[in-house]
Amino acid sequence: MPAYTLYYGTLIHSVSIKQLDIIQNGVLIVDQHGVIAHIEKDVTNLQEFLDSHSYKDIEIRKLGAEQFLVPGFVDTHAHAPQYMFAGSGMDLQLLEWLDTHVFPCESAFKSVDHASEAYQKVITRFLSNGTTTCSWFATIHLGACQKLVDIIQQLGQRAYVGKVNMDQNAPDYYIESTEASLADTRVFIEYVQSKKSDLITPVVTPRFAITCSTPLMKGLSQLAGEYKVPIQTHLCENHDEIDFTCKLFKSKDYTSVYDNHQLLNENAYMAHCVHMTDDEIDLLAARKTGIAHCANSNFSLHSGVCDVRRFLAKGVKVGLGTDVAGGFAPSMLDAVRSTFFASKTQKIMHRDILKNKDYVPLSPSELLFLATLGGAQVLGLQDKIGNFEKGKAFDALWVDLEGGSVDLMGGETIHQKLEKFLFNGSEQNLKHVYVQGRQVSGRK
């Protein structure tokens, strides 16, 4: 293995949500630990560059004219076991869908053998779609959750993994006691941390407030604080869910339920947040809690259309999630496109209902930010991944527009090529997928 690997060609990444950086004739050097050691713009003579630097034992990889590097996609919310039935039940709303499809499917993961076979396919598929980092919900089963971690480690994805917790309002065949839930969560956290992997992080995962008692949620908050791990759950996804939650906990709003149980902080992130009051958004902003926006799922389960602009205007961190299998597609490109349609729908709604003609939908450069650096910020990984800055891990996608589903007609600008990838591209256009400098997927 060489001490350094040099990538030469076009590099595209987000500096911020307002700044997209397109680097042509770029040099990006990765060390043997998978960390970006150097990045430079406008290197027209590569040999002169090499002669002027002291890098020894270096492998050079040149990108073609219709190829470029972008940061790896960050999926901030997905359910690993639910990929088993992705695309099913899209005629149902959330609570009915849970009873009909989710709980029966997840209960089968009591079998570690079943989990092993399923999770191998799931992680392989997500990597092939360019998801270099994913925040996973697993199931309530300790053994299956540990197997998921083992497979993620073997295949090389960067991941947050949560053992799901639920001790009430669930079927008799798929529920756990409060004591067992907390005990197994502790064992799971220690199991993941014992691996001492820089790529895999345990995350405390109450399914949602409806299925979690007050003692369970308070216990999970204490575990998160004790082990210094993040927290993930669902929030304000569906009107019926919100009404049920507020009545169950006699709360003025859904967000306050989590806040009252000390589950909102800068290391927490909430999936969906479709129907939020201004006070709830202000509370998330005050707690520095992030949001996983899952537009495909919100459309597919009839939940609603989330207005991402409201969160961004309040300084709330936002990333994108596929929410498989509420969202039917395991691709972050689909998440980008679904987010695009949700934002365009908000534009229409603001014009026709709110009479606001000045509403600005999300742009392609903002969509790329949300799928990369924005997601990294939600997970607290902005200092490690999300763009091509020196010192960050090389989590990247080598995009080849001539190798898949994109047709180039000649004369496209680099901006247009990026847009064609975002809106017409597929996994077929991913020549290589890298996590921490290691190729983990891509075309053969």
Side-chain angles (χ1 to χ4, degrees):
M1 180 179 179
Y4 297 96
T5 304
L6 182 152
Y7 297 88
Y8 181 62
T10 299
L11 318 173
I12 304 175
H13 70 146
S14 299
V15 177
S16 69
I17 194 167
K18 295 181 179 180
Q19 182 181 349
L20 179 71
D21 201 0
I22 295 179
I23 302 171
Q24 295 184 291
N25 297 316
V27 166
L28 189 152
I29 298 176
V30 181
D31 69 20
Q32 60 187 342
H33 303 293
V35 174
I36 298 172
H38 186 91
I39 185 166
E40 190 156 333
K41 303 179 179 181
D42 302 321
V43 178
T44 55
N45 189 315
L46 182 57
Q47 190 56 54
E48 285 185 4
F49 170 86
L50 292 170
D51 291 342
S52 64
H53 292 75
S54 59
Y55 292 107
K56 305 296 182 183
D57 188 23
I58 190 166
E59 177 183 349
I60 297 173
R61 299 179 181 176
K62 294 184 179 181
L63 283 73
E66 309 302 348
Q67 299 175 348
F68 53 84
L69 293 180
V70 294
F73 290 137
V74 180
D75 187 341
T76 57
H77 183 67
H79 295 259
Q82 293 180 21
Y83 188 59
M84 297 288 291
F85 67 92
S88 303
M90 298 290 94
D91 55 324
L92 304 176
Q93 292 192 24
L94 175 64
L95 298 182
E96 184 182 2
W97 177 76
L98 287 169
D99 289 331
T100 304
H101 291 280
V102 173
F103 295 151
C105 171
E106 291 190 9
S107 67
F109 282 73
K110 182 177 182 179
S111 166
V112 175
D113 289 342
H114 173 71
S116 180
E117 181 178 357
Y119 287 151
Q120 192 82 25
K121 294 178 181 178
V122 175
I123 305 306
T124 298
R125 174 60 65 187
F126 273 68
L127 284 171
S128 72
N129 277 289
T131 301
T132 54
T133 298
C134 190
S135 182
W136 294 107
F137 276 57
T139 66
I140 67 173
H141 312 103
L142 176 59
C145 294
Q146 292 171 326
K147 179 57 68 173
L148 174 58
V149 170
D150 293 343
I151 290 170
I152 290 171
Q153 185 175 40
Q154 170 199 342
L155 296 179
Q157 188 180 54
R158 189 183 303 276
Y160 280 27
V161 186
K163 177 218 163 297
V164 169
N165 299 275
M166 41 196 290
D167 68 343
Q168 66 178 18
N169 295 315
D172 291 341
Y173 62 83
Y174 190 50
I175 196 169
E176 54 190 349
S177 70
T178 306
E179 295 75 15
S181 184
L182 292 172
D184 284 354
T185 299
R186 180 182 294 276
V187 173
F188 176 73
I189 291 171
E190 291 179 353
Y191 179 80
V192 178
Q193 291 184 340
S194 71
K195 289 180 173 289
K196 301 187 183 304
S197 171
D198 290 335
L199 297 183
I200 308 177
T201 300
V203 50
V204 164
T205 306
R207 177 170 223 113
F208 61 160
I210 290 173
T211 60
C212 296
S213 68
T214 286
L216 179 57
M217 285 193 282
K218 287 186 175 180
L220 291 172
S221 172
Q222 291 170 2
L223 285 173
E226 178 182 348
Y227 288 96
K228 296 180 173 55
V229 297
I231 300 166
Q232 63 176 350
T233 188
H234 300 87
L235 174 62
C236 292
E237 181 175 358
N238 169 285
H239 284 301
D240 291 341
E241 168 213 12
I242 295 168
D243 291 343
F244 189 173
T245 302
C246 291
K247 290 177 182 177
L248 184 64
F249 290 92
K250 298 179 175 58
S251 177
K252 65 174 183 176
D253 59 51
Y254 194 164
T255 306
S256 295
V257 173
Y258 291 138
D259 194 47
N260 292 338
H261 291 85
Q262 293 77 52
L263 290 169
L264 299 183
N265 57 47
E266 63 182 344
N267 296 316
Y269 47 102
M270 307 285 115
H272 301 295
C273 301
V274 181
H275 308 286
M276 303 279 287
T277 66
D278 288 340
D279 285 346
E280 288 180 286
I281 297 175
D282 289 340
L283 181 55
L284 291 186
R287 299 291 183 263
K288 300 181 180 180
T289 298
I291 292 173
H293 173 53
C294 307
N296 182 315
S297 175
N298 297 336
F299 282 126
S300 296
L301 296 180
H302 325 166
S303 296
V305 185
C306 181
D307 185 356
V308 171
R309 283 273 181 231
R310 289 181 71 202
F311 303 120
L312 296 177
K314 298 272 190 171
V316 178
K317 300 171 289 187
V318 181
L320 305 186
T322 59
D323 192 28
V324 165
F328 53 76
S331 168
M332 283 294 290
L333 286 173
D334 175 87
V336 164
R337 294 161 195 168
S338 299
T339 299
F340 168 79
F341 284 122
S343 186
K344 291 288 189 178
T345 302
Q346 282 291 335
K347 169 72 173 178
I348 296 168
M349 292 167 62
H350 275 73
R351 182 179 180 89
D352 293 347
I353 300 173
L354 304 179
K355 308 302 181 185
N356 181 358
K357 297 181 181 180
D358 297 326
Y359 187 90
V360 179
L362 295 167
S363 68
S365 62
E366 289 174 313
L367 293 169
L368 181 64
F369 168 85
L370 293 172
T372 55
L373 185 57
Q377 291 173 350
V378 166
L379 300 183
L381 294 174
Q382 66 275 5
D383 294 332
K384 290 186 177 181
I385 60 168
N387 60 11
F388 299 137
E389 292 183 355
K390 182 178 178 180
K392 289 191 176 184
F394 184 63
D395 290 13
L397 310 179
W398 182 319
V399 178
D400 183 1
L401 294 183
E402 293 186 320
S405 58
V406 174
D407 289 318
L408 295 176
M409 310 307 292
E412 291 93 347
T413 66
I414 186 60
H415 285 275
Q416 289 174 316
K417 291 175 183 179
L418 173 63
E419 291 174 355
K420 283 201 169 189
F421 170 60
L422 292 178
F423 294 110
N424 300 117
S426 71
E427 63 183 286
Q428 298 173 6
N429 295 106
L430 299 181
K431 183 178 177 68
H432 303 298
V433 177
Y434 301 99
V435 175
Q436 198 77 38
R438 170 191 171 192
Q439 182 172 345
V440 294
S441 191
R443 299 201 313 263
K444 301 299 182 183

